[in-house]
Amino acid sequence: MTDSPQPYRVLARKYRPRNFDELIGQDAMVQTLANAIKRGRLAHAFLMTGVRGVGKTSTARLIAKALNCIGPDGQGGPTIDPCGVCEPCKAIAEGRHIDVIEMDAASHTGVDDVREIIESVRYAAVSARYKIYIIDEVHMLSKNAFNALLKTLEEPPAHVKFLFATTEVNKVPVTVLSRCQRFDLRRIPAEKLAAHFAHVTQAEDVQAEPDALALIAQAAEGSARDGLSILDQAIAHADTSGDAPTVTAAQVREMLGLSDRGATRRLLGLLLEGRAQDMLAALDEQHQLGVEPLALMRGLLELVHAVTIAKAGRGADDPAQSAEEREMLADWASQIGFAPLHRIWQLLLKGHDEVANAGLPREACEMALLRIVHAASLPDPSDLARMIQQGGVSGGAGQAAPAKDAPGAGSESAAQWPPTFAALVDALWKNSGFLADQIEHEARLVRYAPPELALNMARPVADDFLRKLTEALKTATGQRWVVTLAEGEGEPTLGEQKAESEMQARQAILDTPVVRAAMTAFPDADLVEDNEQWSASG
């Protein structure tokens, strides 16, 4: 008679930590416990809190083993390194030790359940050093159950230890928290999860691409159990044509409905350049590949966040980023201002919520991204006010009006030349917000004599900068331009001129007799801009 095959155990159960060395990402807690055991300063109640899958219940079982281990020779004491071979260690690991009682508070919420614990704590442990009560999801206990437990929790017998685990520590009464030694288990970093998954795949005789493991680690969001569950699914989904199953990044993306990072970068580039038709084509391609619209919006949000953080001066800390991605992020960060980045972030965030709640997610995604394409080419309200003041907007058409002293004024064709450099940048905003922002904040005008334009850039520019700018100017004005980079000092940038104008306007208000008197009467008051109107605040 042949033995029946052992039933399959999912990876999340098979690779539960058997000792503290296998508990990843919780080094601070392990060190605290080690010191407490070494010095004999053991609390009578421990509370483990953290998000799902970071090891709360596993930690409670490891503490139970550490306190009750007697060593291979039966003479050992409490240790941070339980042997795993003595009878208490094996019985606790298998969940059959009579003195280690586990209770699920989600299904045992009442006073009667707690009363059983209160009655039993009076009796000494049968075969272990400590009688240990592990209560999972302790926040589910009723208010009366917590109150009934308080006295026993504060002054338990010396042979009793309480180990609590919860995902919602804010629901645990303060009176209980104050009687426990609390450990906040952290989310496990993605790089540690990826290394752990590599070890698991090697033990399971499965091949896996590093990028695939990185994607799984990111999708796990700091939870080892979630990551192992995804890995289990990925192995089942893997290609089995070779000697061993192979988990690839493409398969993981398809399984999770994720967008390729390179495709997301290309899509953001199209958004920044205002190419609506190409953007819609790229979006359709992602849809055909099975990428969920919500996942695509999330990918764009993560990318814009990464660009903004890079512009703020913090280096990339994402191990999943390739060298190509880091280079592109740095390039965008050097060329895009904070204002457009924040505007795109807000539009993406609003679009993400719309897609999440829409009955037609794909259509909602298209509309949200089209809104970004068109909004990116619109000037800020302050820029629009400046255009009106300079006579750059006429009637309702929004076309630049030719100045009387503009080069070639009086001829029909000459009317198409913007009268000033500022008007030229305003026209550029309508077709290429990315370049317009760069010109406004980094370009110092040396010579403006249409069709000639000479600029002195405040920062180094890309090799194809002049070509792109020339093409964008032709699209914006319908005329060919000759753009050069000059060595002259040039005028202040338009952004600097706007800031100077705002400062002068603010000072003019401060110099008025009424405001000056108000400031004298209220020294702590200040002049603030509220909805583009200056007002006093104090």
Side-chain angles (χ1 to χ4, degrees), residues 485-529:
L485 296 179
E487 297 296 332
E489 183 175 344
E491 301 176 358
T493 68
L494 293 176
E496 293 170 343
Q497 294 178 31
K498 180 172 67 174
E500 177 65 23
S501 176
E502 291 175 351
M503 186 178 68
Q504 291 178 359
R506 184 178 188 276
Q507 188 60 44
I509 295 174
L510 290 172
D511 290 341
T512 59
V514 174
V515 175
R516 191 184 308 140
M519 292 297 183
T520 302
F522 302 97
D524 294 333
D526 194 11
L527 190 68
V528 297
E529 188 176 11

Side-chain angles (χ1 to χ4, degrees), residues 246-279:
T246 302
V247 179
T248 65
Q251 291 169 336
V252 171
R253 289 192 188 97
E254 181 182 357
M255 182 185 76
L256 298 177
L258 296 175
S259 174
D260 177 83
R261 294 172 78 99
T264 306
R265 293 196 301 271
R266 289 192 294 273
L267 186 59
L268 180 60
L270 296 173
L271 287 174
L272 294 175
E273 294 173 13
R275 295 160 58 181
Q277 292 184 353
D278 293 338
M279 182 275 294

Side-chain angles (χ1 to χ4, degrees), residues 34 51 58 70-71 107 111 128 132 154 161 185 215 253 342 383 390 416 419 422 467 486 520 527:
V51 298
S58 296
I70 59 176
S107 55
V111 175
I132 295 177
E154 185 171 18
K161 300 293 182 184
L185 277 67
L215 286 172
R253 289 192 188 97
H342 292 316
D383 296 327
Q390 295 178 349
Q416 298 179 11
R467 177 183 61 80
T520 302
L527 190 68

Side-chain angles (χ1 to χ4, degrees), residues 6-26:
Q6 292 293 324
Y8 177 70
R9 297 177 66 197
V10 296
L11 298 181
R13 291 189 60 193
K14 185 176 181 180
Y15 290 95
R16 264 184 171 166
R18 294 164 295 183
N19 52 59
F20 284 106
D21 289 337
E22 295 179 2
L23 186 67
I24 58 176
Q26 312 300 341

Side-chain angles (χ1 to χ4, degrees), residues 41-155:
R41 303 177 64 87
L42 290 169
H44 57 265
F46 298 88
L47 174 70
M48 274 68 68
T49 179
V51 298
R52 70 199 183 281
V54 293
K56 298 182 296 298
T57 306
S58 296
T59 299
R61 292 173 181 167
L62 291 177
I63 293 175
K65 289 169 65 175
L67 297 182
N68 284 326
C69 177
I70 59 176
D73 58 358
Q75 304 299 318
T79 174
I80 196 64
D81 297 312
C83 66
V85 298
C86 65
E87 180 56 28
C89 282
K90 291 192 293 184
I92 293 172
E94 296 169 5
R96 56 178 175 83
H97 201 293
I98 192 172
D99 292 318
V100 178
I101 301 97
E102 291 194 33
M103 187 182 88
D104 177 21
S107 55
H108 300 80
T109 62
V111 175
D112 291 339
D113 300 302
V114 172
R115 187 177 292 117
E116 292 181 11
I117 297 176
I118 296 172
E119 292 294 328
S120 64
V121 296
R122 296 182 297 175
Y123 303 102
V126 175
S127 61
R129 186 178 294 111
Y130 293 103
K131 179 180 282 190
I132 295 177
Y133 292 90
I134 299 175
I135 303 181
D136 201 8
E137 298 302 337
V138 69
H139 67 274
M140 299 292 287
L141 289 178
S142 66
K143 180 179 180 181
N144 290 337
F146 273 124
N147 290 335
L149 187 61
L150 284 179
K151 186 62 177 177
T152 302
L153 188 60
E154 185 171 18
E155 298 178 359

Side-chain angles (χ1 to χ4, degrees), residues 416-437:
Q416 298 179 11
W417 298 111
T420 64
F421 177 56
L424 176 65
V425 176
D426 291 335
L428 191 61
W429 271 108
K430 300 175 183 178
N431 299 89
S432 181
F434 177 81
L435 278 172
D437 180 77

Side-chain angles (χ1 to χ4, degrees), residues 183-431:
F183 293 109
D184 290 84
L185 277 67
R186 301 180 177 181
R187 290 180 185 269
I188 305 171
E191 57 269 22
K192 288 191 176 182
L193 281 178
H196 179 57
F197 298 156
H199 169 73
V200 171
T201 54
Q202 184 178 7
E204 292 290 315
D205 292 326
V206 174
Q207 297 180 2
E209 296 178 355
D211 287 348
L213 298 180
L215 286 172
I216 294 173
Q218 287 181 330
E221 296 182 341
S223 169
R225 184 174 63 232
D226 285 10
L228 288 173
S229 298
I230 297 172
L231 180 60
D232 228 339
Q233 182 182 357
I235 293 174
H237 187 72
D239 181 12
T240 57
S241 58
D243 296 336
T246 302
V247 179
T248 65
Q251 291 169 336
V252 171
R253 289 192 188 97
E254 181 182 357
M255 182 185 76
L256 298 177
L258 296 175
S259 174
D260 177 83
R261 294 172 78 99
T264 306
R265 293 196 301 271
R266 289 192 294 273
L267 186 59
L268 180 60
L270 296 173
L271 287 174
L272 294 175
E273 294 173 13
R275 295 160 58 181
Q277 292 184 353
D278 293 338
M279 182 275 294
L280 290 174
L283 197 60
D284 184 66
E285 180 182 348
Q286 292 297 295
H287 177 75
Q288 297 299 326
L289 291 173
V291 178
E292 292 294 332
L294 195 62
L296 192 63
M297 296 296 291
R298 180 172 179 173
L300 288 170
L301 278 167
E302 291 174 348
L303 196 52
V304 171
H305 173 263
V307 175
T308 309
I309 292 300
K311 187 171 184 65
R314 193 179 82 184
D317 54 3
D318 186 353
Q321 287 181 0
S322 62
E324 177 189 7
E325 182 169 355
R326 289 192 177 95
E327 182 179 352
M328 184 167 288
L329 290 177
D331 185 49
W332 277 333
S334 66
Q335 298 185 47
I336 309 176
F338 278 113
L341 284 172
H342 292 316
R343 190 190 316 169
I344 293 172
W345 170 264
Q346 292 295 333
L347 291 171
L348 281 173
L349 202 59
K350 185 175 187 298
H352 179 275
D353 293 342
E354 291 175 354
V355 173
N357 299 315
L360 299 172
R362 180 188 177 187
E363 287 76 4
C365 182
E366 290 178 346
M367 295 299 292
L369 297 187
L370 282 172
R371 185 165 60 222
I372 294 174
V373 168
H374 295 295
S377 63
L378 295 176
D380 290 329
S382 57
D383 296 327
L384 190 60
R386 187 192 66 215
M387 293 166 58
I388 295 174
Q389 292 173 356
Q390 295 178 349
V393 177
S394 64
Q399 299 294 327
K404 293 181 180 180
D405 57 348
S411 66
E412 184 176 349
S413 61
Q416 298 179 11
W417 298 111
T420 64
F421 177 56
L424 176 65
V425 176
D426 291 335
L428 191 61
W429 271 108
K430 300 175 183 178
N431 299 89

